[in-house]
Amino acid sequence: MKILVAVKRVVDYAVKIRVKPDKTGVDTQNVKMSMNPFCEIALEEALRIKEAGFAKEVVAVSIGPPQCVDTLRTGLAMGADRGIHVEANSSFLPLTIAKILKSLADVENPGLIFLGKQAIDDDCNQTGQMVAALLGWPQATFASKVVVLDKDKQFATVDREVDGGLETLSVDLPAVITTDLRLNQPRYATLPNIMKAKSKPIKKMTLEDLKVDIKSDIEIVEVTEPPKRKSGVIVSSVDELIDKLKNEAHVV
Amino acid sequence: MLIDSSPSPTSLDATLILAEHESGSIKAQTVSTVVAANHLGESSSVSLLLAGSGSSLQEAASQAASCHPSVSEVLVADSDRFEYPLAEPWAKLVDFVRQQRDYSHILASSSSFGKNILPRVAALLDVSPVTDVVKILGSNEFIRPIYAGNALCRVRYTGAGPCVLTIRTTSFPVTPITESKKATISQIDLSKFKEDAVSRSRYVGQSTQDTERPDLGSARVVITGGRALKSVENFKMIEKLAEKLGGAVGATRAAVDAGYVPNDLQVGQTGKIVAPELYMAFGVSGAIQHLAGIKDSKVIVAVNKDADAPIFQVADYGLVGDLFEVIPELLEKLPEKK
């Protein structure tokens, strides 16, 4: 079985972002970029499934500008077998990304597609669900705990983090799984693996190759900063705190 | 696979809401979603779609019919295949319902149910959804948070198909209902509803907490503990304080990862979003991802030994001190809950 993993290059999670003065977006120039943390977890899970003997190949795919190749190299250094870079200059909506992944799946025929549950830049949490819909495959979103595959690889058992706690589903393969925080701890790429990754292939593809039309039904009108909270005070004792909560804020 | 590849013209101002219910009643987040629907346009008709099976479904439908005066209709899909909210049959159901009648908008709350199902619905309809809406500026213009809420993005939906949204319910509080109105209840004819025989998902089980404490998403008070609590046993102090104030218990990712509390207590960018009147954080450093979940709280209180902890920059009241001393003192001196 082949596993396809989609990985996104995003602003690093620790960066304090700045909204551009012209309100067209967030400033990403000269800012540290990394693989989306949820995508790292997705890739890690795919690698573990391969290492457990349930998959033959892990293919990482990234969609975007030339720098996505760096993200793919990180994925290859972690252990992916090969990469696919779909060139795209503008920032596509999740539905277009989903259509690209669907086209790739039609070509590659994976038994599983792993995605992070959301990208920490747009926080959309849509792409995995949409890929599953377009392929007509079942989905298991917000996966936590270990995904166990049946010996004949016909279905996977997934624990999901839901509002009330944890839910367990069994999904027929092929399926789409999106990963949540606690699924695993991604490995660091070791130096020997980083060196090995340099000779692993990254195939370049275009939207024309995949016969995908760009869907543009959402316009960004403007991006702004949220309203700032009034600055608070430091109190010096529990008594003072209770007094403020009672007599100033009126919350107790 | 697209069910309907040519979008039929959508009628104006008809909203379909995917409703959630439990033990015979509608969940609070569904009512918030109705409140949100009111912002879409003046003469909007609102239909609630309930799916499930048996008597608790029918009870919930009856309760849903009078849960808010804006609801004009309750549609009920009663079948074993909807016993658990699986995305695949649900998304097909929404498309099935949509084929009987056009909707200009299809909404769900931004709960794990809504987040799981609505994007699948959108892709079946070949439209881009707008998820986690915090403000509605008109029938096709919305604001949603990005970068863990550190920026707000104003978007306009320009497509021809229905506008598909998930709503962040803490941004649409429900005010007490004075008007009483009962909507019509219709049982959906599922005889022509077909699902794939192959390629399915099956519900296996769940582990949820049975608690009398208020639900995190709608509690008036939330008391949160961080990894500084150091153990499951110590976290009981947080629970005691929550109980004293009639509040819900929250936790940071670090505390959940360390195993002090279960995952459904996690507050933050990828956990629960809360907007209580009072949020108290003990031993919480204030990472960007945690703050994303609490920014709309009315009053934020932080207690931490480290005076440089980022949480103090958002707290209305900060106390630099040892939570192991502060919490017992608070328990002793706070007035009983109202």
Side-chain angles (χ1 to χ4, degrees):
Chain A
M1 175 176 76
K2 195 186 295 186
I3 305 181
L4 197 63
V5 183
V7 296
K8 188 179 183 185
R9 179 174 177 268
V10 295
V11 173
D12 186 83
Y13 80 95
V15 165
K16 201 169 154 99
I17 55 113
R18 219 177 50 95
V19 173
K20 290 198 267 203
D22 65 5
K23 296 189 184 171
T24 55
V26 162
D27 188 9
T28 55
Q29 302 272 26
N30 305 314
V31 144
K32 181 179 181 199
M33 304 295 277
S34 304
M35 188 186 294
N36 182 42
F38 291 95
C39 300
E40 280 185 327
I41 292 170
L43 182 51
E44 175 64 33
E45 196 63 23
L47 294 171
R48 291 186 187 192
I49 292 173
K50 179 188 163 190
E51 283 156 6
F54 290 112
K56 288 234 162 65
E57 198 185 20
V58 173
V59 183
V61 54
S62 197
I63 299 158
Q67 296 91 328
C68 287
V69 170
D70 298 334
T71 312
L72 285 172
R73 286 281 168 223
T74 304
L76 295 172
M78 280 171 68
D81 297 290
R82 57 185 167 87
I84 299 174
H85 171 217
V86 180
E87 293 176 324
N89 276 321
S90 46
S91 144
F92 287 154
L93 294 171
L95 183 54
T96 301
I97 302 289
K99 291 181 176 185
I100 292 170
L101 292 172
K102 187 246 184 223
S103 284
L104 275 173
D106 288 341
V107 170
E108 296 279 349
N109 289 307
L112 268 174
I113 301 180
F114 270 97
L115 293 91
K117 84 169 180 186
Q118 72 195 61
I120 61 170
D121 51 11
D122 57 29
D123 284 328
C124 279
N125 191 335
Q126 300 169 13
T127 310
Q129 295 86 311
M130 296 201 280
V131 176
L134 295 174
L135 287 165
W137 291 3
Q139 65 190 55
T141 55
F142 331 141
S144 74
K145 298 235 165 151
V146 176
V147 175
V148 172
L149 291 185
D150 170 65
K151 284 213 181 66
D152 294 310
K153 295 176 244 175
Q154 294 306 304
F155 64 88
T157 304
V158 184
D159 281 3
R160 304 175 54 229
E161 295 211 4
V162 293
D163 289 342
L166 292 175
E167 173 189 271
T168 305
L169 295 186
S170 149
V171 289
D172 289 337
L173 299 188
V176 175
I177 297 180
T178 77
T179 61
D180 213 322
L181 288 176
R182 273 170 283 277
L183 179 55
N184 60 49
Q185 273 270 39
R187 66 197 66 188
Y188 290 109
T190 61
L191 194 51
N193 284 335
I194 294 173
M195 298 312 293
K196 260 195 259 177
K198 294 191 180 179
S199 55
K200 289 183 181 177
I202 293 182
K203 180 177 180 185
K204 274 205 181 341
M205 299 188 81
T206 62
L207 259 64
E208 290 77 54
D209 294 333
L210 295 166
K211 300 194 182 42
V212 171
D213 290 324
I214 300 172
K215 186 79 172 186
S216 305
D217 51 356
I218 294 193
E219 276 169 21
I220 294 182
V221 177
E222 68 172 8
V223 174
T224 53
E225 276 185 15
K228 283 195 177 10
R229 288 184 79 95
K230 260 174 42 237
S231 38
V233 294
I234 300 287
V235 299
S236 50
S237 68
V238 172
D239 289 318
E240 194 186 344
L241 175 62
I242 295 179
D243 175 53
K244 294 257 190 232
L245 289 178
K246 200 160 143 196
N247 300 317
E248 194 174 271
H250 308 295
V251 284
V252 296
Chain B
M1 250 168 351
L2 297 182
I3 303 291
D4 181 353
S5 49
S6 59
S8 38
T10 51
S11 69
L12 293 170
D13 304 331
T15 299
L16 180 68
I17 296 181
L18 278 61
E20 292 178 71
H21 59 96
E22 190 175 43
S23 316
S25 32
I26 287 296
K27 287 197 184 177
Q29 47 260 50
T30 296
V31 189
S32 278
T33 310
V34 176
V35 171
N38 283 341
H39 292 255
L40 289 170
E42 291 209 357
S43 53
S44 233
S45 82
V46 175
S47 304
L48 292 185
L49 173 61
L50 272 74
S53 72
S55 58
S56 84
L57 168 70
Q58 299 298 339
E59 263 174 63
S62 183
Q63 197 253 328
S66 41
C67 74
H68 195 284
S70 302
V71 177
S72 34
E73 174 183 46
V74 174
L75 304 171
V76 183
D78 191 337
S79 163
D80 283 342
R81 67 192 106 190
F82 301 118
E83 198 181 344
Y84 300 102
L86 297 171
E88 302 82 11
W90 252 99
K92 282 239 162 99
L93 174 66
V94 174
D95 194 39
F96 179 77
V97 166
R98 192 195 61 92
Q99 284 175 43
Q100 318 294 318
R101 182 205 165 157
D102 293 322
Y103 293 95
S104 55
H105 296 81
I106 300 178
L107 271 54
S109 86
S110 203
S111 58
S112 50
F113 164 89
K115 289 190 287 202
N116 186 32
I117 295 171
L118 230 63
R120 191 176 178 113
V121 169
L124 288 184
L125 272 43
D126 196 26
V127 302
S128 293
V130 182
T131 48
D132 211 18
V133 169
V134 296
K135 197 156 183 185
I136 294 177
L137 302 167
S139 67
N140 64 349
E141 205 156 305
F142 315 101
I143 294 185
R144 60 181 303 276
I146 57 175
Y147 287 94
N150 286 298
L152 294 175
C153 191
R154 179 169 165 167
V155 298
R156 186 178 295 132
Y157 173 66
T158 57
C163 182
V164 176
L165 310 174
T166 63
I167 303 293
R168 184 183 277 202
T169 51
T170 49
S171 300
F172 296 93
V174 181
T175 46
I177 318 266
T178 46
E179 211 189 309
S180 143
K181 184 189 143 184
K182 199 153 172 84
T184 54
I185 301 176
S186 319
Q187 304 292 326
I188 300 173
D189 174 6
L190 294 169
S191 55
K192 296 212 170 70
F193 178 76
K194 265 166 52 158
E195 245 189 293
D196 295 326
V198 292
S199 208
R200 305 182 66 158
S201 64
R202 286 161 297 277
Y203 175 85
V204 172
Q206 67 184 12
S207 66
T208 51
Q209 306 299 309
D210 234 345
T211 174
E212 276 160 25
R213 205 114 342 93
D215 166 58
L216 251 182
S218 51
R220 194 192 74 87
V221 176
V222 173
I223 313 291
T224 284
R227 190 163 46 187
L229 269 304
K230 297 203 193 106
S231 71
V232 176
E233 199 49 48
N234 289 340
F235 226 90
K236 299 226 162 55
M237 286 168 46
I238 298 285
E239 287 174 31
K240 271 211 202 110
L241 186 55
E243 186 160 345
K244 176 120 195 191
L245 291 169
V249 175
T252 61
R253 174 195 174 175
V256 176
D257 283 358
Y260 306 154
V261 281
N263 66 286
D264 54 316
L265 266 49
Q266 181 174 323
V267 171
Q269 177 186 21
T270 69
K272 301 272 192 321
I273 306 291
V274 301
E277 278 187 30
L278 173 61
Y279 187 84
M280 300 185 81
F282 293 90
V284 172
S285 64
I288 297 172
Q289 294 77 13
H290 183 76
L291 298 184
I294 70 173
K295 280 176 192 225
D296 289 332
S297 309
K298 311 277 180 319
V299 176
I300 297 176
V301 173
V303 175
N304 196 304
K305 257 202 291 207
D306 176 11
D308 293 323
I311 189 103
F312 288 119
Q313 285 163 36
V314 295
D316 298 293
Y317 304 111
L319 177 55
V320 181
D322 186 344
L323 65 92
F324 291 105
E325 289 170 13
V326 171
I327 295 184
E329 201 179 334
L330 278 169
L331 282 167
E332 196 198 329
K333 294 178 174 173
L334 272 168
E336 288 297 326
K337 68 179 180 232
K338 293 202 250 244

